[in-house]
Amino acid sequence: HEQVESLYPHPGWVELDPEVLWRQFVGVIKEAVQAAGVHMRQIAGLGISTQRGTFITWHKRTGKPFHNFISWQDLRSAELVNSWNKSLLLKVIHVIFTVLHFLTGNDRYLAPSFLTFSTHQTSMKLSWVFKNIHEAEEAAKKNNCCFGTVDTWLLYRLTKGSVYATDYSNASATGVFEPFTKCWNPTLSNLLSIPMSVYPPVKDTSFNFGSADSEIFGVPIPIMAMVADQQSAMFGECCFHPGDVKLTMGTGGFWNVNTGERLFASQRDLYPLIGWKIGEEVVYLTEGCMSDVGAAIKWAQDINLFTNVDETEKMARSIVDSQGVCFVPGFQVSVNDPYLYASFMGLKPSTTRNHLVRAILESVAFRNKQLYDIIMKKVRVPLQTIRADGGVSNNSFVMQMTSDLINRKIEKPANADMSSLGAAFLAGLASGFWTDKEQLKKLRRIEAVFEPQKDSEEYKPAMDAWLQAVKRSLHW
């Protein structure tokens, strides 16, 4: 079936067609059921895991979208972000909350004390919508505008408009949901001129959201879980205990630490999220993310640096080092610098494809090391197991180098696609297919364990050169 291709209507804008996304979603489910050799009547429940931060707004009464999905990679809010980050108002907010945190010691006041906006947040792009799309603004005034991330839109379409909701994991990733109070943030919404009436109700992650209309799949199928992709992968990896770590290396890269019932306030490079809410249980995570993991590798393939991804490992190992070549990732929105662009540095006449490929793979491991060090310094929870997933976790060069650099053992599961497994686990729990999480742990299959083989000091010269290259690429 057709792919959901990104659309680029203007430089820096990244959109998805909602109709294409909907058709692909339905097609994937039908194909999966057929491939499993079962009938739709046998499906106990559906779990939906979706990309975070990509959103749409539509008319409550007609269901008609006001615009395409605006992707998490979209840069249209860059000017808005810059003007806010330089504003006097934001400086005043920083001072007020720094004082409040000093006086009370309450972590809730820590995040606003160094609040900065970035282009990857939904909040700024949603503010842009109400400033620039007249129909959405008018509908919101009459309480006729709905906002939703991908999960909310799919649920709305599956139920023919009768159910409008999201879950805690998706809501907490938007940047306009307050994880401490577990509510949409009225102060921030007011500040950014986002009407409070546009937000969907927030439900448990593992929960009966209603049933898909029988016209769609021939029978009504209960929708038993909705979860954001990174939190879903965490659940699929069975990272149920405080200190459990999940490292996803897909298109982007994500480090998630289970902090249990403790919510750590947002800090530079780290972001608090609700992992999942099941009944009374609320599990919090701390996340660090990096752009351009799989995206950089796919680009290298597109320009014929190699034909098959499996070759990259062999190419990287065929040479002793990258000969001083450094790759700075920056194809996607950088969390810290929207103007960072990807680059190679240290090219010489003797540079070969192997050096370029090795430099790309090394950049993934170096960024992993950076995020691991930040987590060790800032997250006050002793780290337990580290489990990797995502397409790039199949690359043993990256996995081994990461293990060496952080001097920790990393487990890799037999199934690298954990987001879908997590959604299935959560739906199975809600529908009574499984009774508790202990049963899920028994289903885990570990394919490989990477243990440190080299002293991390051996990588120091290469990592120092890479850090230098990153510095030179900033604010391009």
Side-chain angles (χ1 to χ4, degrees), residues 134-156:
H134 181 66
E135 294 92 330
E137 186 195 13
E138 284 303 302
K141 281 178 188 166
K142 296 172 186 163
N143 281 355
N144 266 335
C145 181
C146 295
F147 153 80
T149 39
V150 180
D151 59 305
T152 305
W153 167 254
L154 292 176
L155 176 68
Y156 188 83

Side-chain angles (χ1 to χ4, degrees), residues 51-120:
Q51 183 189 84
R52 305 173 311 183
T54 297
F55 74 94
I56 195 167
T57 62
W58 67 94
H59 196 284
K60 191 180 279 183
R61 214 174 51 250
T62 65
K64 187 175 177 293
F66 294 117
H67 50 84
N68 282 334
F69 270 105
I70 298 175
S71 167
W72 66 276
Q73 298 163 292
D74 188 283
L75 284 173
R76 72 187 66 194
S77 62
E79 280 179 29
L80 207 54
V81 166
N82 281 342
S83 64
W84 263 107
N85 286 343
K86 288 174 184 167
S87 69
L88 178 64
L89 180 58
L90 200 62
K91 289 182 176 71
V92 171
I93 290 168
H94 288 174
V95 171
I96 291 168
F97 282 97
T98 301
V99 172
L100 280 172
H101 181 249
F102 177 75
L103 294 174
T104 64
N106 188 336
D107 261 8
R108 192 182 157 188
Y109 301 124
L110 187 61
S113 71
F114 47 80
L115 168 73
T116 50
F117 294 105
S118 84
T119 52
H120 79 295

Side-chain angles (χ1 to χ4, degrees), residues 306-360:
F306 56 86
T307 348
N308 191 314
V309 176
D310 301 340
E311 295 169 47
T312 58
E313 201 180 298
K314 201 172 158 191
M315 290 170 79
R317 291 190 197 281
S318 71
I319 46 178
V320 288
D321 56 36
S322 71
Q323 220 182 56
V325 176
C326 297
F327 174 73
V328 180
F331 290 114
Q332 297 171 7
V333 183
S334 160
V335 175
N336 304 319
D337 178 9
Y339 300 107
L340 170 73
Y341 285 95
S343 58
F344 278 107
M345 291 192 197
L347 299 175
K348 305 166 190 69
S350 56
T351 301
T352 65
R353 289 177 184 209
N354 292 354
H355 295 114
L356 298 178
V357 167
R358 182 169 174 129
I360 292 172

